[in-house]
Amino acid sequence: MEWYKKKPEDLYTELQTDPKKGLTQETAEYVLLKHGSNELREEEKKSLAAKLIEQFKDPLIIILILASIVSAFLGDYVEAVIIIAIVIINAVLSLYQEGKAEQAIEALQKMSSPNAKVIRDGVEQSLPSSKIVPGDLIRLETGDIVPADIRLIESANLKIDESSLTGESVPVEKDASVVYQDTIEIGDRENYAYSSTIVSYGRGMGIAVETGHGTEIGKIATTIQSYEDEQTPLQKKLTELSKLLGLIVVGVCIVVVILGLFYKHEIYEMFLMAISLAVAAIPEGLAAIVTIVLSLGMGRMAERNAIVKKLLAVETLGTTTVICSDKTGTLTQNEMTVTKALVDDKVVEVEGTGYEPLGNIVYDGHEVEDGEFSSLFTLMSIAMLANDAKLEKHGNMYQMIGDPTEGSLITFAGKKNLEKSKMEADYPRIDEIPFDSERKMMSTFHKNFLPGKIVSFTKGAPDLILERCTHKLVDGKVVELSQKDRQDIMDTNSEFALQALRVLAFAFRSYDSMPIEVDHEHIERDMIFVGLTGMIDPARPEAKDAIAECKSAGITPIMITGDYLETAYAIGRDLGISSSEEDAIMGRELNAMSTEEIREIVKKKRIFARVSPENKVQIVTALKENGHIAAMTGDGVNDAPAIKKADIGISMGITGTDVAKNTSDVILTDDNFATIVNAVEEGRIIYSNIKKFVSFLLSCNIGEVLIVFIAILINVPLPLTPIQLLWLNLVTDSFPALALGVEQGEEDIMNQPPRDPNEAIIDKKTGFSIAVQAIAITAATLGAYFYGMKVYGSGSEGSRMMAFSTLITAELLRAYSARSSHFTLARIGVLSNRFMVYATGLSFGLLLLVLYIPFLRDIFNVIVPSAMDWAVIIGFALIPMLAGEIKKAITQKQYLKAE
């Protein structure tokens, strides 16, 4: 219901409350039973058993379980145990990493106000916020957390910090007297206060109109609950691959048995061989290696200040095509900063950002020396003394307490070594006229600033201050304010405003003694104008470079903010997100658009200003429907639904609310937008490595299948026994594949566009490479086998030793070639991946154990190879690697030319 449109008297009737006494206790208890408590219901959590069952729904995991059963049936209990261990480890790792995932609703509950000032039966009392009901009369004071959505009925200089809900970078002025006829966006409702926002200034009174899930924050909670977790791109591709492998396995079994029977092989022998080939065709290490590689990637990302909460989110980052970023606190510092000032008729630049009082005052390219601008001290004194904020230092951090605008003025004065505590001691405040949203200024009275005089310092809106000034201070002298002076000052004000600066004016007046009538009508007139300041929540210095890197990587950055269009565009232009005002749009314009129109508008616009949480979700949804992999970054409650909806949700670790953190997939511990780019790079490397070891595993496994298939087809004794197949599959599928998973990224990985989200893991290029390598491995192994048949006889232990040794060696050498898809070993370095050296060394050592330990030779039906045998084995084994390197040497030239 649009409560902000209702007049207070209508509220009293509709909610059965009294404007002075509030609800009766009896009525409040009845309403509580009707509406329920003022808290957010937690979504029912899945049990551990349900989560565990989900881990085993993956088709690849099901195939692995079947493979373990087959291995046990064949008597290879070691293989069966290893496969089951892989499945269990994979499930445990996934559950452990994702165990903390969905706590967003709990975090929303934590944000609720523990107590509220409520008037019931005419008596003010402190009640737990959970007991607040619609119709309750609520009192608000500075520092209070608003306990429910409230239609204000009284306000006195009331300002509320709504940044966590709307993204507005400064507290919002409230006015209870306003009544709206038209629909007003969340961030513009002056007569309304939202649950969980904070009163930063003044006081007010209001009627609670919405509680629990009816509040704006409650709607966000409901929205978060309604979104189902979607499969990541990698999950989808691995599922597709698993189904394909399942079909291949079934096909292999059928074809081998049929061919075997056709050539009159024994049924049992063919059955064992078919089952062995089926096990060999399944890369049982794939699921575990993917999990391990993603876990290692999580560790590397943590070292680069990005904590990844879900394993598969690591890879999803690498597929990102668009990053939607909140402005306040993400692209900007969430610390108002004075950047320009008008003093002595000159505009000076103010260096430094944030609340730390460091930075120079610069004019015409040089630092302003003490005394160079004689009116600067007066300007800074007014800025610091007509000010209710405090700036505290905690270690190396500065914390602002109070209004951020006033905090920036204290920092501004601090850049000329002025300290508020000392200034207040030297020039004590003796009275004040508080800020009023109607006259838009405040005044304070001080003694000792001018010898024998009382002065009033006034700050406020430039146009209103200027109307009340008759003179100005220039070079330390008071001169009459001419019409031209007024126009020049307003021109400067306009220039500041066009740069999206928030502008304040400063003036003073002196008295021989304290005025009798201390009110704005008598005091705030005939003043002396001193100057202007322009302030903004500045962009993070590193964000501009990060955005440029995003663009070079083919990623589109988009700003989505609750701030006004002018401010958002100024920041976006400064950061390089946009170059024209045509790129920007107001959120309210989206409300009148259809889903199709929004899908079109997100193709063109790069800045979305004054948006609601619903608008953010609309934007992210439209981008996803357009085929993008969308990342959403933010720090406030207002960002949480879009963070949840995005393919990859990213929150700020320092300034982020618990809601944003617990809803997101990734938390940036340094709140640095540049860290997102690092995470994207890591994600791309991980996906590239996954493709490498999938390609490696499949080329080797398909080669094994082809070797046996061709042998049956041409009716020669089988080159490999079932136990040999299972052993070489175990040796070559594990360690080298894992080493490929920790390969360094290609040197050009961030100069490539994001991959097509619809691209399969096995695309045409990869599929062709797998086919070529599988054929090369098959040819090499059969070549060595036929040599062995000639030397040792058909179907002998010697001929099978030649096939067995050549196949393992060829696959290990093939692993080196698989380290890059387009750069040769000569360019990347044969020994640059030490894990590959260890992995292949270990696997080759296991081969040697089988060949040279007598009882193992008997089990595997092989003989000790001669020196000549080793020469032939190595010669044939080099064929697949050389074929890959020759292909890459040609491809590498194309890449280097493109550079």
Side-chain angles (χ1 to χ4, degrees):
M1 188 176 291
E2 296 177 319
W3 296 102
Y4 61 90
K5 290 184 179 180
K6 293 183 179 291
K7 296 178 180 179
E9 49 267 30
D10 295 332
L11 290 175
Y12 307 146
T13 303
E14 193 167 337
L15 296 172
Q16 299 179 353
T17 190
D18 186 277
K20 299 297 182 185
K21 296 182 179 181
L23 294 174
T24 64
Q25 187 62 35
E26 183 181 359
T27 303
E29 290 174 0
Y30 170 76
V31 177
L32 185 63
L33 287 173
K34 180 181 177 182
H35 286 270
S37 61
N38 179 31
E39 53 192 357
L40 302 175
R41 298 179 297 278
E42 188 174 350
E43 185 179 18
E44 187 176 347
K45 294 182 178 179
K46 292 179 182 177
S47 67
L48 180 62
K51 290 179 180 178
L52 198 59
I53 290 170
E54 282 191 356
Q55 296 295 322
F56 295 100
K57 285 182 179 178
D58 188 326
L60 184 59
I61 298 298
I62 294 171
I63 291 173
L64 288 179
I65 293 172
L66 292 174
S68 70
I69 294 171
V70 169
S71 294
F73 176 79
L74 291 173
D76 193 341
Y77 300 108
V78 174
E79 174 86 6
V81 168
I82 288 173
I83 294 174
I84 288 298
I86 285 170
V87 170
I88 293 172
I89 291 169
N90 183 68
V92 170
L93 276 173
S94 296
L95 283 175
Y96 174 75
Q97 296 289 357
E98 298 174 12
K100 306 174 192 174
E102 294 304 331
Q103 300 171 14
I105 307 305
E106 290 178 11
L108 283 162
Q109 289 175 321
K110 289 177 186 176
M111 290 187 66
S112 301
S113 172
N115 287 288
K117 302 180 185 76
V118 185
I119 298 172
R120 286 184 183 170
D121 291 317
V123 179
E124 182 174 322
Q125 50 190 299
S126 179
L127 290 178
S129 63
S130 60
K131 302 298 182 183
I132 301 297
V133 298
D136 264 327
L137 188 59
I138 310 292
R139 185 186 299 281
L140 299 174
E141 296 176 343
T142 302
D144 286 348
I145 299 176
V146 180
D149 279 9
I150 295 171
R151 168 60 165 94
L152 298 168
I153 58 173
E154 293 179 17
S155 59
N157 306 320
L158 183 62
K159 293 184 183 180
I160 298 181
D161 180 358
E162 298 178 348
S163 59
S164 66
L165 181 66
T166 66
E168 180 91 38
S169 55
V170 295
V172 179
E173 295 176 16
K174 297 295 180 180
D175 185 351
S177 65
V178 174
V179 178
Y180 295 102
Q181 302 296 324
D182 300 322
T183 299
I184 303 297
E185 297 302 317
I186 288 175
D188 297 323
R189 298 171 189 170
E190 294 181 29
N191 63 5
Y192 210 76
Y194 300 101
S195 176
S196 298
T197 58
I198 301 171
V199 179
S200 60
Y201 197 86
R203 55 187 174 79
M205 185 84 75
I207 304 294
V209 291
E210 296 287 358
T211 59
H213 278 264
T215 63
E216 289 299 327
I217 200 171
K219 291 174 185 175
I220 291 173
T222 303
T223 303
I224 293 172
Q225 288 177 331
S226 69
Y227 295 150
E228 294 291 333
D229 285 334
E230 298 180 11
Q231 280 194 320
T232 68
L234 182 60
Q235 279 178 307
K236 294 174 184 176
K237 303 312 172 191
L238 288 176
T239 298
E240 292 170 7
L241 180 61
S242 300
K243 292 176 180 176
L244 176 63
L245 289 175
L247 292 173
I248 291 173
V249 166
V250 172
V252 165
C253 291
I254 293 171
V255 171
V256 166
V257 170
I258 291 173
L259 280 174
L261 292 176
F262 179 79
Y263 285 112
K264 302 199 175 0
H265 288 281
E266 292 184 15
I267 294 177
Y268 181 69
E269 180 190 2
M270 283 298 96
F271 176 74
L272 288 182
M273 180 53 68
I275 296 298
S276 299
L277 276 178
V279 173
I282 299 169
E284 66 265 26
L286 180 59
I289 292 169
V290 168
T291 302
I292 293 168
V293 167
L294 291 174
S295 297
L296 292 172
M298 288 177 75
R300 288 195 299 272
M301 284 187 179
E303 292 172 2
R304 301 177 80 174
N305 301 312
I307 296 175
V308 182
K309 293 162 57 182
K310 296 182 179 180
L311 276 179
L312 287 159
V314 175
E315 178 275 334
T316 309
L317 271 166
T319 68
T320 302
T321 60
V322 59
I323 298 176
C324 302
S325 178
D326 177 45
K327 178 186 77 68
T328 305
T330 307
L331 292 170
T332 64
Q333 300 182 42
N334 200 19
E335 295 179 341
M336 292 297 287
T337 304
V338 175
T339 59
K340 291 180 183 292
L342 173 69
V343 61
D344 288 339
D345 291 338
K346 298 179 179 68
V347 174
V348 298
E349 307 286 334
V350 184
E351 297 179 339
T353 57
Y355 293 128
E356 186 174 7
L358 289 178
N360 298 321
I361 313 297
V362 176
Y363 176 70
D364 197 23
H366 71 275
E367 181 183 349
V368 173
E369 302 291 338
D370 291 343
E372 182 179 348
F373 283 74
S374 56
S375 303
L376 184 59
F377 174 75
T378 304
L379 177 66
M380 289 182 164
S381 297
I382 301 171
M384 183 169 275
L385 294 171
N387 193 317
D388 292 323
K390 293 181 180 179
L391 197 62
E392 296 182 352
K393 186 177 182 181
H394 301 281
N396 294 323
M397 301 290 291
Y398 285 82
Q399 180 183 3
M400 184 279 301
I401 300 173
D403 188 292
T405 298
E406 292 194 331
S408 72
L409 294 175
I410 296 174
T411 301
F412 168 56
K415 291 176 182 180
K416 277 298 180 182
N417 300 314
L418 301 184
E419 296 180 14
K420 189 173 188 188
S421 58
K422 186 176 186 306
M423 293 284 284
E424 288 177 333
D426 292 342
Y427 315 116
R429 183 188 297 190
I430 53 178
D431 209 339
E432 65 181 286
I433 305 174
F435 177 86
D436 183 281
S437 59
E438 187 172 334
R439 71 182 212 287
K440 297 187 183 301
M441 62 184 76
M442 73 173 289
S443 296
T444 58
F445 294 83
H446 302 265
K447 58 183 181 181
N448 302 336
F449 190 78
L450 295 176
K453 300 279 187 179
I454 299 293
V455 296
S456 63
F457 289 151
T458 302
K459 79 172 191 293
D463 55 339
L464 300 180
I465 292 256
L466 204 56
E467 283 178 8
R468 291 163 173 76
C469 291
T470 57
H471 293 74
K472 69 175 181 176
L473 187 67
V474 181
D475 297 329
K477 298 176 183 179
V478 176
V479 299
E480 191 172 344
L481 193 64
S482 68
Q483 191 58 41
K484 182 179 182 304
D485 291 333
R486 294 178 187 276
Q487 187 59 51
D488 289 345
I489 291 167
M490 291 309 296
D491 287 346
T492 302
N493 175 56
S494 297
E495 288 175 14
F496 284 6
L498 285 173
Q499 298 169 53
L501 300 179
R502 188 178 189 195
V503 188
L504 290 178
F506 302 84
F508 76 99
R509 186 179 173 189
S510 64
Y511 314 83
D512 292 330
S513 60
M514 188 66 192
I516 297 173
E517 296 181 278
V518 180
D519 61 69
H520 66 87
E521 291 293 337
H522 292 85
I523 301 303
E524 293 170 350
R525 61 185 177 84
D526 301 327
M527 295 186 294
I528 300 165
F529 178 84
V530 178
L532 304 173
T533 60
M535 62 199 68
I536 197 169
D537 180 12
R540 291 180 174 273
E542 67 280 353
K544 189 170 185 177
D545 291 339
I547 285 168
E549 194 168 352
C550 278
K551 288 185 173 182
S552 70
I555 301 168
T556 302
I558 292 178
M559 181 195 292
I560 305 178
T561 178
D563 259 327
Y564 287 97
L565 187 68
E566 294 78 9
T567 304
Y569 173 65
I571 293 291
R573 181 187 57 204
D574 182 45
L575 290 171
I577 292 176
S578 64
S579 57
S580 166
E581 290 187 33
E582 296 293 318
D583 295 335
I585 187 173
M586 292 284 279
R588 63 170 175 262
E589 295 181 49
L590 300 179
N591 296 333
M593 294 182 183
S594 66
T595 302
E596 292 74 18
E597 288 173 326
I598 295 175
R599 280 203 294 264
E600 287 304 310
I601 211 73
V602 298
K603 293 177 182 178
K604 307 168 187 174
K605 303 299 180 181
R606 295 295 171 261
I607 295 175
F608 295 84
R610 211 67 184 154
V611 295
S612 66
E614 291 81 8
N615 291 148
K616 294 184 179 186
V617 173
Q618 286 177 313
I619 294 163
V620 170
T621 301
L623 288 165
K624 291 175 67 176
E625 289 174 351
N626 286 343
H628 283 288
I629 299 297
M632 174 70 197
T633 74
D635 59 357
V637 177
N638 59 314
D639 301 312
I643 287 173
K644 176 80 172 180
K645 185 66 177 176
D647 293 291
I648 187 80
I650 305 170
S651 65
M652 304 296 112
I654 299 173
T655 59
T657 60
D658 285 344
V659 181
K661 292 176 189 175
N662 290 324
T663 307
S664 65
D665 305 299
V666 179
I667 300 173
L668 306 183
T669 59
D670 58 356
D671 283 15
N672 189 338
F673 186 85
T675 301
I676 300 172
V677 180
N678 294 337
V680 168
E681 180 182 13
E682 193 65 50
R684 287 190 176 190
I685 291 171
I686 287 167
Y687 182 77
S688 173
N689 288 346
I690 288 173
K691 284 195 71 169
K692 288 172 187 174
F693 65 66
V694 166
S695 174
F696 166 72
L697 290 174
L698 291 183
S699 63
C700 294
N701 290 11
I702 291 172
E704 294 163 15
V705 172
L706 284 176
I707 290 164
V708 175
F709 180 77
I710 290 172
I712 294 174
L713 193 63
I714 62 177
N715 199 22
V716 297
L718 296 177
L720 300 164
T721 64
I723 194 172
Q724 287 175 342
L725 269 175
L726 294 172
W727 178 258
L728 70 88
N729 199 48
L730 179 65
V731 168
T732 58
D733 272 14
S734 51
F735 308 120
L738 187 55
L740 284 171
V742 295
E743 187 67 39
Q744 296 176 4
E746 310 277 7
E747 59 188 73
D748 61 341
I749 200 158
M750 286 302 284
N751 294 325
Q752 298 175 16
R755 68 179 177 85
D756 183 349
N758 297 317
E759 172 192 298
I761 291 181
I762 309 303
D763 55 17
K764 288 183 180 179
K765 182 180 176 182
T766 307
F768 178 75
S769 177
I770 289 171
V772 169
Q773 286 295 316
I775 291 169
I777 289 171
T778 302
T781 304
L782 288 177
Y785 178 58
F786 292 142
Y787 169 85
M789 288 175 65
K790 185 177 180 180
V791 174
Y792 296 106
S794 178
S796 63
E797 292 180 343
S799 61
R800 282 181 172 148
M801 175 274 296
M802 293 296 294
F804 180 63
S805 302
T806 301
L807 182 52
I808 290 180
T809 307
E811 291 185 0
L812 296 181
L813 291 173
R814 152 74 179 140
Y816 280 89
S817 183
R819 288 178 52 204
S820 174
S821 61
H822 52 269
F823 290 123
T824 62
L825 274 173
R827 185 174 180 88
I828 64 176
V830 176
L831 304 178
S832 57
N833 183 348
R834 69 179 188 278
F835 297 105
M836 181 59 74
V837 177
Y838 301 152
T840 52
L842 176 60
S843 295
F844 192 71
L846 293 174
L847 167 63
L848 295 180
L849 289 177
V850 169
L851 294 176
Y852 289 98
I853 294 179
F855 82 90
L856 288 177
R857 282 203 304 272
D858 295 338
I859 293 173
F860 284 91
N861 295 310
V862 293
I863 62 172
V864 176
S866 66
M868 186 60 189
D869 290 339
W870 273 120
V872 173
I873 289 168
I874 293 172
F876 276 110
L878 282 169
I879 291 174
M881 186 186 78
L882 292 175
E885 290 301 291
I886 291 169
K887 172 185 168 294
K888 286 192 294 180
I890 299 169
T891 308
Q892 181 175 288
K893 289 181 181 178
Q894 297 173 349
Y895 271 84
L896 295 177
K897 283 179 182 177
E899 291 179 359

